[in-house]
Amino acid sequence: MDSKKLFLFITLSLIVSVYIFSLPPVLSTGDGGELITASYGLGTPHPSGYPLYVQLGKLFSFLPIGNIGNRVELISVFFSIFTLFLVYFIVFKLSEQNREAYFAAITSVIILAFSYSFFGQSIVAKFYTLNSFLVMLLFLCGVNTALNGYDRKIQFLASFILGITLSAHHTGFMMIVPLFVLSLFYFRNFFKNLPLSFLFFVLGFSINLYLYIRGIKETLFNMISVTDWSSFLTVFLRKSYGSGSSVDLTTSGFVNFYGYFYAFKNYFYLIEKNFTLFSTPFFVLGLICLFKKSKKLFWFTLISFFIYSIFLAKLTFSLQNLDIHDIYVIGHQYFLPSFAIYCIVIGSGIYFIYSMFERLNLHLIKKIIPIIAILFPLLMIFDRLTDQYQHKNYVPYSYTKEIFSSLPIASIYMTYGDNHAFQAWYLKLVGRYREDICHIALDDYKTMLWALQGCKPYKLYSELFPEFFGGDLIDLTRKKRYYSIIALSEKHPLYRVVDSYPYFYTFIYMGKSFDKRDFDEFFRERMKKIEPFVNYEDCLSHGTDDVFTLLLCNFSTMGYVNMAKAYETSSGKEITFEQKISYGDFTAPFNINAKISSENEKYLYIYNAIKKYNKMNKFYLSGKENEKN
């Protein structure tokens, strides 16, 4: 192995080590619990079903290391490394493939590897690094064609990969636009081989048949079962998301062109936060370098970048005022392919500067600067180990386990929203913890439709909870068996018949006619039994600015107020704790009053400590508008 290959191997090995060192210990927040559960049971997660990821997740779940969550999380590490290698290979291929090109390619890899969003998506159970890998493969096909001319094997390969992208993440398919523009330069050969290309595309697309195969018979976990052509289209095209469906989102790119202004502004904000403004001159120089090398290559690269940056931002990220949800769920995830292309162009710009040193006979600078350029982005490792390091983040696991442990035997536990439901599915279906609890998720608070993934097998739970499956919710509240994360607002359908009272991290639903004094006695007795389950350390040591972790920890503070209330004395000073519970279009405010004295003041300290440690402005991409909060 020559010195260049050895240094590349060492660089990628360092990156892999840092990624693995930063993996969550059990599972990540967001979609992590759902995707791990779906992979473990070969089921179907939320639309569009992501069949390629789920099948890969099942394969990775057999690895003889770590727990099931760790094994599935390694998918992201695996494909992030392959994406980085493709970035290196493309930058090296676009240059004269000399020493300077080698250093420029390595620098590009390090810049991308330790950028905030790429690093963050490389250590969680998500499909975005897989999607980036497929996009980079297609980009490489285009680069090879632009440099070397038409090759029908490349056309067939690109068609096959395009079919696969539709089983991974639909944004990968957008590479068809720059590839089609490039093919117009070779339109005769391209159209001649189009019929056979279509067959290769169908072959790649056939991975989506998994959705129907797994829908024929009920599996351990299915968000939405695909049983016919209609249900297949509903899941595949994400029709259940309404205006967020794949078709509607795509068409939104061709209306309201003023939205492109905010798309550019918001995307440029992501570039600034991930790569700093110092990267933009290198990007401009890289475009100049590509234009001088090949006009076909220049336009292919520019169109590819536009599609995955400004156009994608117009579809998904073009609001005038972004909130933390938009920045994290969209900005932090969707734009990884554009970041990879951005770093490829930066690499070309760095090589352009090295070439200038050569022409100006600045031999000493030519030898020293490349080494400094590599060492400088390596410093970002320390930033990532302070904002993205998840190795100590037990919150999504311990938070849910504490709730399950606190519930009485044979309880109904209802969640609303992904951040509470997905961890519960992992604990119930993969961890097989508290199988006496029926966990339900409220899909639509207006129609009261339940998702029953946490109540399988249905036959067992229907016999354990005949009141619930029979529709008699009032009887469940009478028996103190109905618990939820939702505090009811006046617009909630259950508000007319049920009151909600704070209970540990959750709420207990009680009938309107219920004797409040009986509840107070029940509450104090249960709180004292729950105290051994209280574990505030995880919310004070998770070491990450992951926004969903911060939300879980802030929600958990209600439990410490309840503990204080259980131990209050008549001589204590009464304090009002204001909280909010949001679900759907509603925000349900509620206040908890507790008398604080020396007997229970430790819970007030825990409450304040968690609030301080988990401020939302810790989130790196939060922006100035959130720093005031």
Side-chain angles (χ1 to χ4, degrees), residues 195-214:
L196 189 54
S197 295
F198 181 73
L199 292 179
F200 278 99
F201 171 80
V202 171
L203 182 62
F205 182 83
S206 64
I207 297 175
N208 288 288
L209 291 176
Y210 165 90
L211 300 175
Y212 178 73
I213 294 171
R214 298 307 291 172

Side-chain angles (χ1 to χ4, degrees), residues 52 54 121 136 179 233 278 313 326 362 425 492 600:
L52 178 60
V54 170
Q121 296 307 314
M136 284 299 98
L179 287 171
L233 290 179
F278 292 107
D326 298 317
L362 300 174
W425 289 338
H492 195 282
N600 61 358

Side-chain angles (χ1 to χ4, degrees), residues 147-278:
L147 293 179
N148 302 322
Y150 177 81
D151 184 341
R152 69 171 190 162
K153 294 179 182 178
I154 297 296
Q155 180 176 341
F156 297 152
L157 175 62
S159 300
F160 178 68
I161 298 172
L162 280 169
I164 293 177
T165 61
L166 292 174
S167 66
H169 195 268
H170 286 182
T171 58
F173 188 69
M174 296 196 304
M175 272 301 295
I176 194 173
V177 176
L179 287 171
F180 178 75
V181 172
L182 182 62
S183 70
L184 294 179
F185 290 100
Y186 314 97
F187 68 93
R188 290 184 179 178
N189 290 323
F190 170 72
F191 284 106
K192 181 176 68 174
N193 291 295
L194 198 57
L196 189 54
S197 295
F198 181 73
L199 292 179
F200 278 99
F201 171 80
V202 171
L203 182 62
F205 182 83
S206 64
I207 297 175
N208 288 288
L209 291 176
Y210 165 90
L211 300 175
Y212 178 73
I213 294 171
R214 298 307 291 172
I216 295 175
K217 185 178 180 180
E218 187 61 41
T219 60
L220 176 72
F221 178 87
N222 269 342
M223 273 287 284
I224 302 177
S225 293
V226 173
T227 56
D228 52 29
W229 177 246
S230 177
S231 57
F232 174 81
L233 290 179
T234 298
V235 172
F236 177 73
L237 297 177
R238 305 168 74 247
K239 290 184 177 182
S240 56
Y241 293 131
S243 60
S245 69
S246 297
V247 175
D248 290 342
L249 271 180
T250 303
T251 56
S252 69
F254 304 97
V255 296
N256 183 24
F257 287 92
Y258 187 68
Y260 276 100
F261 170 78
Y262 294 112
F264 177 83
K265 176 185 174 183
N266 295 338
Y267 179 76
F268 190 75
Y269 172 75
L270 295 178
I271 290 293
E272 177 191 357
K273 298 295 282 187
N274 276 278
F275 305 105
T276 77
L277 294 179
F278 292 107

Side-chain angles (χ1 to χ4, degrees), residues 326-540:
D326 298 317
I327 295 173
Y328 185 79
V329 174
I330 299 173
H332 184 49
Q333 301 182 143
Y334 281 21
F335 297 95
L336 262 59
S338 74
F339 295 160
I341 299 172
Y342 186 81
C343 287
I344 288 172
V345 178
I346 285 178
S348 297
I350 294 172
Y351 175 73
F352 184 76
I353 292 177
Y354 294 164
S355 300
M356 289 178 59
F357 293 157
E358 177 70 25
R359 288 195 295 270
L360 296 173
N361 294 320
L362 300 174
H363 299 297
L364 181 61
I365 294 178
K366 189 186 74 170
K367 292 181 179 180
I368 295 175
I369 293 298
I371 298 174
I372 296 176
I374 287 176
L375 293 177
F376 182 74
L378 278 174
L379 296 176
M380 293 191 295
I381 294 178
F382 300 104
D383 291 331
R384 300 296 79 87
L385 292 181
T386 56
D387 54 33
Q388 294 277 29
Y389 177 67
Q390 298 236 24
H391 189 64
K392 294 182 180 180
N393 188 10
Y394 286 92
V395 172
Y397 172 77
S398 63
Y399 168 87
T400 307
K401 191 170 184 178
E402 287 168 30
I403 291 178
F404 278 7
S405 301
S406 71
L407 297 178
I409 295 174
S411 298
I412 295 277
Y413 170 54
M414 183 177 76
T415 58
Y416 181 88
D418 301 347
N419 204 29
H420 294 270
F422 291 170
Q423 286 91 257
W425 289 338
Y426 175 89
L427 215 64
K428 281 276 296 175
L429 300 175
V430 180
R432 306 301 293 270
Y433 185 68
R434 286 301 302 267
E435 293 188 291
D436 61 298
I437 295 173
C438 179
H439 167 236
I440 63 177
L442 186 59
D443 275 353
D444 189 336
Y445 60 90
K446 297 176 182 177
T447 59
M448 300 301 288
L449 295 175
W450 315 106
L452 303 177
Q453 283 83 5
C455 290
K456 290 184 177 182
Y458 298 140
K459 182 178 181 181
L460 171 64
Y461 286 99
S462 63
E463 295 175 358
L464 188 60
F465 301 97
E467 307 95 335
F468 172 73
F469 284 88
D472 190 354
L473 302 181
I474 302 303
D475 193 37
L476 280 171
T477 64
R478 191 179 302 116
K479 294 179 179 179
K480 305 185 186 72
R481 296 171 69 187
Y482 204 169
Y483 299 80
S484 173
I485 63 162
I486 298 177
L488 301 182
S489 73
E490 294 182 1
K491 295 183 178 181
H492 195 282
L494 287 179
Y495 184 82
R496 298 186 303 274
V497 293
V498 170
D499 287 323
S500 55
Y501 297 98
Y503 172 87
F504 195 45
Y505 293 175
T506 59
F507 297 88
I508 181 172
Y509 286 175
M510 307 303 301
K512 289 283 188 182
S513 60
F514 186 77
D515 187 343
K516 183 65 168 60
R517 291 170 298 179
D518 186 20
F519 171 75
D520 288 340
E521 181 179 346
F522 167 81
F523 170 80
R524 295 181 190 277
E525 178 185 348
R526 287 294 306 168
M527 285 294 106
K528 292 178 180 180
K529 289 183 178 179
I530 288 170
E531 187 172 18
F533 302 121
V534 173
N535 175 26
Y536 62 87
E537 290 91 349
D538 287 340
C539 277
L540 295 175

Side-chain angles (χ1 to χ4, degrees), residues 8-9 65 82 85 167 262 326 414 529-530 563 616:
L8 174 62
F9 176 78
I65 54 174
F82 274 92
F85 177 78
S167 66
Y262 294 112
D326 298 317
M414 183 177 76
K529 289 183 178 179
I530 288 170
M563 295 302 301
M616 292 304 293

Side-chain angles (χ1 to χ4, degrees), residues 135-154:
V135 172
M136 284 299 98
L137 279 179
L138 291 169
F139 188 80
L140 178 59
C141 289
V143 168
N144 187 79
T145 301
L147 293 179
N148 302 322
Y150 177 81
D151 184 341
R152 69 171 190 162
K153 294 179 182 178
I154 297 296

Side-chain angles (χ1 to χ4, degrees), residues 291-357:
F291 184 81
K292 294 177 66 176
K293 187 174 186 65
S294 166
K295 292 181 176 58
K296 293 177 185 177
L297 176 64
F298 169 80
W299 285 112
F300 171 74
T301 302
L302 191 63
I303 293 172
S304 298
F305 180 72
F306 173 80
I307 289 295
Y308 282 100
S309 57
I310 309 304
F311 182 74
L312 182 58
K314 173 60 174 66
L315 302 184
T316 62
F317 200 55
S318 58
L319 294 177
Q320 182 176 358
N321 297 308
L322 297 172
D323 60 24
I324 196 71
H325 180 273
D326 298 317
I327 295 173
Y328 185 79
V329 174
I330 299 173
H332 184 49
Q333 301 182 143
Y334 281 21
F335 297 95
L336 262 59
S338 74
F339 295 160
I341 299 172
Y342 186 81
C343 287
I344 288 172
V345 178
I346 285 178
S348 297
I350 294 172
Y351 175 73
F352 184 76
I353 292 177
Y354 294 164
S355 300
M356 289 178 59
F357 293 157

